[in-house]
Amino acid sequence: MVPVALLLLFLGQPLLGEPGQGAGTWSRFARLPYPQDQLFLHDTFPDGFLWGAGSAAYQTEGGWHQGGKGASVWDTFVHRQATPLGSGQSGSPPVGGDVASDSYNNLYRDVEGLRLLGVSHYRFSLSWARLLPNGTAPLNLAGLAHYRRLLGRLRELGVEPVVTLYHWDLPQGLQDAFGGWASPVLPQLFRDYAELCFRHFGGQVRYWLTMDNPYVVAWHGYSTGRLPPGVQGGPRLGYRAAHHLLQAHAKVWHLYNDHFRPTQRGKVSIALSSHWIKPQHMTEKNIKECQKSLDFVLGWFAKPIFIDGDYPESMRSNLSSLLPKFSEAEKKYIKGTADFFALSFGATLSFQLLDSHMKFQQLESISLRQLLYWISSEYNNPQIFIVENSWFVSGSTKRDDAKYIYYLKKFIMETLKAIRYDSVNVFGYTVWSLLDGFEWHRGYSIRRGLFYVDFQSHDKKLMPKSSVLFYQKLIEKNGFPPLSENQPIEGVFPCGFAWGVVDNYIQVDTTPTQFVDSNVYVWDVHQTKKLIKVDGIFTTKRKRHCVDFAAIRLQISLLQEMHVTHFHFSLKWSLILPSGNLSLINHTLVCYYQCFVSELLRVNITPVVALWQPMAENQELPVSLAKYGAWDNPDTIEAFVEYARFCFMTLGDHVKFWITMNEPPVKNLTYTAGHNLLKAHAKAWHLYDKEFRRSQKGKISIALQADWVEPACPLSRNDQEVADRILEFDIGWLAEPIFGNGDYPQVMRAWLHRRNSVDLYNFHLPYFSEDEKKLIQGSFDFFALSHYTTTLVGWEKEDALKYDHYLEVQLINDITWLHSPGRAAVVPWGLRKLLKWVKSKYGDVPVYVMANGIDDDQNMVHDKLRVYYLQNYINEALKAYTLDNVNLQGYFVYSFNDKTAPKYGLFSYAANQYEPKPSMKHYREIIDSSGFPGAATPELLCPEEISSCPECHFFRNRKSLLAFISFVFVAFVVTIVFITYYSKRIERRYK
């Protein structure tokens, strides 16, 4: 892993910005070192960093006509809908924000949630219509008392209030009387309302936000009409409303600055929301379009406030007839009217309320880190306060909100990287939201709260979700401090450790050479100039030799170049016995395999041979077996045993390491097929044990695919049960009968019984007889597993496309994990957890990791991912061996080359040429070092290296070279003798 200091040196520092400098963001992030820059950063936030949660009045307060509150444009808009937002769902949830989370009547409930979280601040909004029911005087004393109680309770807990004056809920009276923000009267009325708030609450508030997301208010309130007040006035009215919103904000800032700041010592800003956009292609034109997209959404409000009081140049040049103009005096008045940059980023705007034409044909993204860097570069490196951020889960999700957690983790991680790697000045972070509420245009179809609210209940109790525990722990630790288990260790694997590589099927080329052709040819030197076969005349056909198979030599030389000690490949049952029995044998192929394994042994590479590995076509079974039921047909059992016997007889003298079946496809096997497959394996094992082991002295087992499964919410009992269930179905189904008690896992039987009885399924898990249990139990010499990735699972149904109804499991993605081009997650610690699980379930059995690898996109940049993958997965294997005492005896990389396993190979293949990738060389270095030796690691002296004669060891390992040198020397001596002899004869003749 690249040290943080080195990464910082590479990244450099952001420039103090000015308009347009943000355009360098895209090229900068395209140059960052891969994959180091995408790794999880284990670090903490600066001391004093602010952690908080937020809510908005209309989303959570409810009490829409309680305590003298007036109607807001949202009240009117929702009540006017034919099908009110939030209604029409099962259980009849509340209409709009009429009741919502009922925070108005549960103030102390909400504050208790804040206390449980341990936050430093709470962002909430004041309801303008609750304080001034008509938008102007008179003041509603009940509303005033409500907010005073809230502020008083926050002060008692030591929680800093961050107060928003206006969060979209404009009093309906102002809309009716003046046309809302379309009127130039509104800025002064907003100033009057703000003055009231500063006067009554300012002594307890240090952070004020004038308004939230003016883009949504102006564009969708007055241009498209998608949101309240629902005016479809077109672009011109939308830009006019924004003009007034900016003027209103500036008036309030100056009001506070001139009259309240000296005594209250607070800060005032405006909460601006933005998306992030990335170019379809890294061209100058596309980058300019991305810059323009941000100008039209964020820059529309940010540039006047933070730079020069005027709109972005791209807007002025494109919208000259639609965009209002500021006078020079207005520009000076608006410029600088923010004490910090308050940023809102997440589900409210991203992919929801951003008009498609404002993307300018570029691609929307959710990279908070790049947006923070862009803001820092574009607006003179301001202090940034993230005042709203999170994602969402389905409205049906209750307590285990794993998807929400991993988005939160991603956003907070990106904020940390922006601070540590990019020197962006972020001083606070606010999760949205404290509790579930009414989600604007999405109604109650999604949830964004840390606390669950049952909207159909009367008391509206807050129930902490798993995200509460996640955020609570994060606040307590002030980030993600380094953990010892995440650090690589030094050490080496033992002598005799199997270092291998896998090729599903070796390259087979049985084309005969000229030396085995028995035909006689004559050369037509006069006409065709070609060889012409003479019919009816044959020479004596000599016996086939291994040298005749040219393809073998190349593969062996590549394996030697890797320095591996073992090579794992599978035989092709369908080609060796095409008819499925011994009536037809492909002797040429058998001879090829015999030559291949003998050549491996000749260069001290141990062949590891699988009898059967399923592939797409006919599962790699002979056609006659595949046609009649494959493994569902019990006849396949005896056919496999017969095939195994043939392989043991023909190859057993050279093969001492057998796999009966390599990665049986449990996802696609019927229970009957799995039943027969287990019996076939056991019979083949006992056949070898009784008839071949004594003479051939080999070992044999089965190799299972075993990806790790982790509960999406680690502290959720339900998620843990799901993870345990999947492990038993994916691994235990075939492992438990062999390595355990001879029968299927009890978890499987209990689950299938439940499913069959409750849902009327007919999934029958067969039973073994007592004799069959004895046959299968213990039919192994080692535990062989293939491991590639780790999967997160949960029980809450969130995404129908990734939900398994049969096993009632939801697949979840941790978006902070590295992923390959094929979307495989890179989770090194998953291998260690798997190895510990195997040991805990099946005891101190010898374990081989028979396949472990990652795909790439045949681009050298991405082979860096494989280098990282191998380095860290092997290090986790070392931890399992040294720290957990797992009896690990070998590790094999998948795969040998790209020709037989495209995108997975350690050798690339193009134009009939193999080229070693950097990952191959890295793996070779690990092999040569036997792991990761450090300064304190004792030197590993293996028996073959201990010799009283170092020179003898040198010569022993270079027998072929010595033979060649000897031959050249003898030829040289004989030549000298002949030259001397004939020179003397010639000399005597002339005398």
Side-chain angles (χ1 to χ4, degrees):
M1 184 182 296
V2 173
V4 172
L6 185 59
L7 194 59
L8 287 171
L9 184 64
F10 181 90
L11 296 174
Q13 303 296 318
L15 298 172
L16 291 180
E18 59 183 45
Q21 283 200 5
T25 301
W26 292 277
S27 59
R28 176 186 186 272
F29 279 87
R31 297 193 306 268
L32 295 183
Y34 178 86
Q36 287 78 11
D37 183 66
Q38 295 185 22
L39 299 179
F40 196 87
L41 174 59
H42 289 279
D43 202 348
T44 56
F45 284 80
D47 292 341
F49 192 81
L50 301 179
W51 294 104
S55 67
Y58 186 76
Q59 290 186 280
T60 60
E61 274 189 2
W64 78 282
H65 56 27
Q66 277 184 264
K69 177 184 175 294
S72 73
V73 291
W74 268 96
D75 293 319
T76 304
F77 186 82
V78 168
H79 294 160
R80 189 189 300 149
Q81 301 291 314
T83 303
L85 290 169
S87 67
Q89 302 174 37
S90 60
S92 299
V95 174
D98 287 2
V99 179
S101 318
D102 202 21
S103 290
Y104 181 73
N105 296 303
N106 291 278
L107 183 151
Y108 292 103
R109 174 205 67 181
D110 294 358
V111 175
E112 179 60 21
L114 294 168
R115 187 195 63 78
L116 184 64
L117 284 169
V119 295
S120 56
H121 70 272
Y122 177 45
R123 180 193 170 193
F124 65 94
S125 70
L126 305 174
S127 171
W128 190 345
R130 191 175 295 284
L131 289 168
L132 299 173
N134 296 314
T136 59
L139 173 64
N140 177 22
L141 296 179
L144 185 68
H146 170 74
Y147 292 119
R148 278 179 170 168
R149 283 195 302 273
L150 175 56
L151 288 168
R153 184 63 181 137
L154 292 175
R155 184 175 66 251
E156 291 173 9
L157 289 179
V159 175
E160 188 81 52
V162 178
V163 181
T164 308
L165 293 171
Y166 168 62
H167 200 129
W168 305 7
D169 49 351
L170 183 74
Q172 183 64 40
L174 298 182
Q175 184 63 35
D176 294 340
F178 305 105
W181 290 107
S183 169
V185 174
L186 259 288
Q188 181 60 40
L189 296 178
F190 185 60
R191 180 197 180 282
D192 296 341
Y193 160 61
E195 183 175 7
L196 180 148
C197 296
F198 293 154
R199 199 171 299 283
H200 287 282
F201 309 129
Q204 300 176 68
V205 179
R206 282 202 310 152
Y207 293 100
W208 289 97
L209 300 173
T210 55
M211 58 187 69
D212 182 88
N213 202 343
Y215 165 87
V216 169
V217 175
W219 194 252
H220 292 302
Y222 294 88
S223 177
T224 69
R226 286 183 62 186
L227 298 179
V231 179
Q232 298 179 3
R236 187 180 299 278
L237 190 63
Y239 291 123
R240 188 195 308 165
H243 204 69
H244 297 150
L245 284 163
L246 278 166
Q247 290 172 329
H249 159 77
K251 279 181 176 289
V252 171
W253 186 90
H254 282 286
L255 167 70
Y256 189 85
N257 191 59
D258 296 342
H259 300 286
F260 294 96
R261 192 189 302 274
T263 56
Q264 296 180 359
R265 302 178 187 280
K267 295 183 178 182
V268 180
S269 189
I270 179 173
L272 300 180
S273 186
S274 184
H275 62 307
W276 181 248
I277 198 89
K278 62 182 183 180
Q280 292 213 34
H281 305 286
M282 282 297 292
T283 63
E284 185 177 348
K285 177 183 177 181
N286 283 358
I287 289 174
K288 284 183 178 179
E289 296 298 284
C290 289
Q291 181 79 4
K292 188 190 299 183
S293 176
L294 292 175
D295 281 346
F296 270 64
V297 178
L298 179 57
W300 185 3
F301 301 92
K303 182 174 175 287
I305 294 170
F306 289 92
I307 299 297
D308 60 4
D310 203 359
Y311 297 115
E313 173 59 30
S314 59
M315 292 186 74
R316 286 187 282 127
S317 60
N318 282 272
L319 305 169
S320 57
S321 63
L322 296 174
L323 199 64
K325 292 181 172 57
F326 290 116
S327 67
E328 290 303 316
E330 287 175 322
K331 290 178 186 178
K332 292 178 181 178
Y333 191 71
I334 293 171
K335 177 183 176 182
T337 55
D339 300 322
F340 54 91
F341 197 114
L343 176 66
S344 169
F345 181 78
T348 301
L349 182 61
S350 296
F351 298 96
Q352 292 293 322
L353 293 175
L354 177 66
D355 269 18
S356 58
H357 76 272
M358 290 189 179
K359 299 177 189 177
F360 295 96
Q361 300 182 326
Q362 305 309 308
L363 305 174
E364 197 170 356
S365 177
I366 54 170
S367 176
L368 176 56
R369 178 185 171 190
Q370 293 186 50
L371 175 61
L372 289 170
Y373 184 85
W374 186 88
I375 291 170
S376 181
S377 299
E378 190 80 3
Y379 301 121
N380 293 315
N381 194 23
Q383 285 190 311
I384 301 174
F385 192 174
I386 298 172
V387 294
E388 176 183 345
N389 178 239
S390 75
W391 208 241
F392 60 88
V393 292
S394 165
S396 62
T397 299
K398 292 182 173 61
R399 303 286 293 279
D400 290 328
D401 52 345
K403 174 184 171 184
Y404 184 93
I405 289 174
Y406 291 112
Y407 272 92
L408 204 58
K409 182 180 174 186
K410 167 188 165 64
F411 292 135
I412 295 173
M413 169 55 53
E414 290 190 350
T415 303
L416 180 60
K417 287 184 175 180
I419 294 170
R420 297 302 186 194
Y421 290 168
D422 310 326
S423 299
V424 178
N425 191 357
V426 184
F427 68 91
Y429 180 89
T430 311
V431 165
W432 203 268
S433 63
L434 173 64
L435 67 166
D436 291 334
F438 174 72
E439 290 299 332
W440 308 116
H441 61 296
R442 302 291 294 274
Y444 294 96
S445 64
I446 64 171
R447 292 176 181 269
R448 296 183 67 196
L450 293 168
F451 287 88
Y452 174 79
V453 177
D454 181 354
F455 297 112
Q456 299 175 45
S457 68
H458 176 70
D459 56 7
K460 303 289 191 297
K461 286 184 178 178
L462 291 191
M463 291 179 280
K465 302 181 189 178
S466 292
S467 54
V468 165
L469 301 177
F470 167 80
Y471 194 48
Q472 186 184 57
K473 188 175 180 181
L474 186 142
I475 293 171
E476 183 182 312
K477 296 184 176 181
N478 197 32
F480 310 99
L483 302 173
S484 58
E485 58 263 34
N486 295 328
Q487 304 304 311
I489 65 168
E490 294 178 344
V492 294
F493 291 93
C495 296
F497 190 80
W499 292 103
V501 68
V502 187
D503 206 351
N504 287 338
Y505 297 102
I506 59 173
Q507 178 188 346
V508 174
D509 183 359
T510 57
T511 305
T513 66
Q514 59 179 329
F515 301 111
V516 294
D517 188 351
S518 59
N519 292 293
V520 174
Y521 300 84
V522 295
W523 188 6
D524 183 1
V525 297
H526 299 293
Q527 297 181 7
T528 65
K529 310 294 185 182
K530 296 180 180 179
L531 292 173
I532 301 174
K533 185 169 70 173
V534 179
D535 294 331
I537 301 178
F538 303 95
T539 62
T540 303
K541 188 173 183 179
R542 74 164 175 78
K543 184 179 179 181
R544 189 184 297 271
H545 295 290
C546 290
V547 73
D548 297 325
F549 300 120
I552 292 178
R553 293 194 296 274
L554 174 58
Q555 294 179 78
I556 298 294
S557 66
L558 295 177
L559 291 169
Q560 285 182 283
E561 188 178 345
M562 294 175 66
H563 298 182
V564 293
T565 61
H566 291 63
F567 178 57
H568 172 32
F569 66 95
S570 300
L571 304 176
K572 289 202 169 189
W573 183 4
S574 63
L575 297 182
I576 293 175
L577 302 180
S579 62
N581 55 47
L582 298 179
S583 64
L584 180 61
I585 300 171
N586 187 338
H587 289 287
T588 302
L589 181 58
V590 172
C591 180
Y592 187 93
Y593 283 134
Q594 288 173 330
C595 289
F596 193 91
V597 295
S598 65
E599 287 298 298
L600 285 173
L601 291 174
R602 188 181 64 81
V603 296
N604 295 320
I605 296 176
T606 301
V608 181
V609 180
L611 296 173
W612 174 71
Q613 176 167 342
M615 297 298 280
E617 187 176 359
N618 295 327
Q619 299 183 43
E620 199 45 57
L621 295 170
V623 175
S624 59
L625 297 178
K627 186 177 179 181
Y628 294 101
W631 285 108
D632 285 293
N633 186 343
D635 291 343
T636 305
I637 299 173
E638 297 308 319
F640 181 76
V641 175
E642 182 182 42
Y643 162 63
R645 180 188 297 276
F646 174 76
C647 293
F648 296 152
M649 292 175 63
T650 54
L651 298 173
D653 288 341
H654 297 101
V655 178
K656 312 301 179 186
F657 200 142
W658 289 100
I659 301 293
T660 55
M661 298 156 178
N662 194 52
E663 299 183 16
V666 293
K667 300 290 187 185
N668 301 315
L669 278 181
T670 65
Y671 293 125
T672 299
H675 201 69
N676 291 334
L677 189 146
L678 280 166
K679 290 192 281 189
H681 154 77
K683 287 190 173 186
W685 187 89
H686 282 283
L687 170 68
Y688 188 83
D689 189 56
K690 293 176 182 177
E691 300 185 22
F692 296 94
R693 189 189 298 276
R694 184 185 299 272
S695 60
Q696 296 181 359
K697 296 180 172 54
K699 53 189 175 183
I700 183 170
S701 197
I702 188 171
L704 305 176
Q705 179 160 343
D707 287 336
W708 181 243
V709 180
E710 184 81 1
C713 297
L715 300 179
S716 165
R717 182 179 300 175
N718 290 330
D719 281 8
Q720 185 63 61
E721 287 178 1
V722 170
D724 292 341
R725 180 161 68 245
I726 299 305
L727 286 171
E728 295 295 357
F729 271 82
D730 284 359
I731 306 173
W733 176 12
L734 300 181
E736 186 64 30
I738 297 171
F739 300 93
N741 61 13
D743 201 356
Y744 297 115
Q746 183 57 35
V747 170
M748 284 188 72
R749 288 210 182 276
W751 182 258
L752 292 175
H753 176 75
R754 177 191 160 217
R755 297 296 284 168
N756 292 339
S757 61
V758 174
D759 300 318
L760 303 179
Y761 283 102
N762 189 25
F763 295 113
H764 174 63
L765 189 62
Y767 286 87
F768 294 114
S769 68
E770 289 303 315
D771 288 341
E772 288 172 335
K773 289 181 183 178
K774 292 178 182 177
L775 176 78
I776 296 170
Q777 185 180 18
S779 57
F780 68 90
D781 295 330
F782 50 88
F783 195 115
L785 59 90
S786 300
H787 175 84
Y788 303 98
T789 188
T790 290
T791 304
L792 293 171
V793 296
W795 72 279
E796 295 260 24
K797 184 178 179 181
E798 178 65 37
D799 181 351
L801 296 177
K802 296 181 179 180
Y803 186 79
D804 185 329
H805 291 271
Y806 174 53
L807 292 176
E808 294 183 2
V809 56
Q810 177 70 61
L811 299 181
I812 301 290
N813 181 32
D814 184 340
I815 53 179
T816 66
W817 286 349
L818 274 176
H819 286 82
S820 72
R823 302 308 298 161
V826 180
V827 193
W829 52 258
L831 175 58
R832 182 184 178 188
K833 286 198 171 187
L834 173 67
L835 293 172
K836 290 171 67 176
W837 181 84
V838 169
K839 180 181 179 180
S840 69
K841 280 190 69 72
Y842 305 118
D844 194 31
V845 57
V847 179
Y848 289 86
V849 177
M850 295 304 299
N852 180 234
I854 195 75
D855 64 285
D856 62 27
D857 62 359
Q858 298 179 335
N859 183 320
M860 280 302 179
V861 170
H862 285 92
D863 193 59
K864 293 179 181 179
L865 177 61
R866 185 177 289 108
V867 170
Y868 172 84
Y869 183 98
L870 295 179
Q871 173 81 12
N872 288 276
Y873 271 82
I874 297 173
N875 197 264
E876 291 295 321
L878 181 63
K879 291 178 187 178
Y881 171 73
T882 58
L883 303 180
D884 307 325
N885 296 315
V886 174
N887 188 5
L888 185 62
Q889 299 197 0
Y891 173 90
F892 292 67
V893 171
Y894 182 85
S895 167
F896 180 21
N897 62 73
D898 283 340
K899 182 175 183 181
T900 51
K903 300 184 180 181
Y904 281 87
L906 295 180
F907 284 89
S908 61
Y909 178 80
N912 295 320
Q913 295 290 323
Y914 293 92
E915 291 294 333
K917 298 180 183 179
S919 53
M920 188 285 285
K921 298 175 182 178
H922 188 69
Y923 183 44
R924 183 173 63 194
E925 291 172 3
I926 294 174
I927 294 173
D928 291 344
S929 301
S930 297
F932 309 94
T937 305
E939 184 180 359
L940 187 67
L941 296 176
C942 296
E944 65 271 20
E945 296 175 359
I946 301 174
S947 173
S948 58
C949 175
E951 295 82 2
C952 299
H953 179 73
F954 174 86
F955 290 118
R956 255 198 318 271
N957 287 280
R958 293 163 175 79
K959 292 178 181 178
S960 299
L961 177 63
L962 291 174
F964 177 73
I965 293 173
S966 300
F967 172 76
V968 172
F969 178 75
V970 170
F972 176 75
V973 171
V974 170
T975 302
I976 294 298
V977 169
F978 273 105
I979 290 173
T980 303
Y981 173 76
Y982 282 105
S983 296
K984 290 183 177 179
R985 287 191 60 181
I986 292 170
E987 186 179 341
R988 284 198 299 269
R989 182 182 302 171
Y990 281 102
K991 285 181 178 179

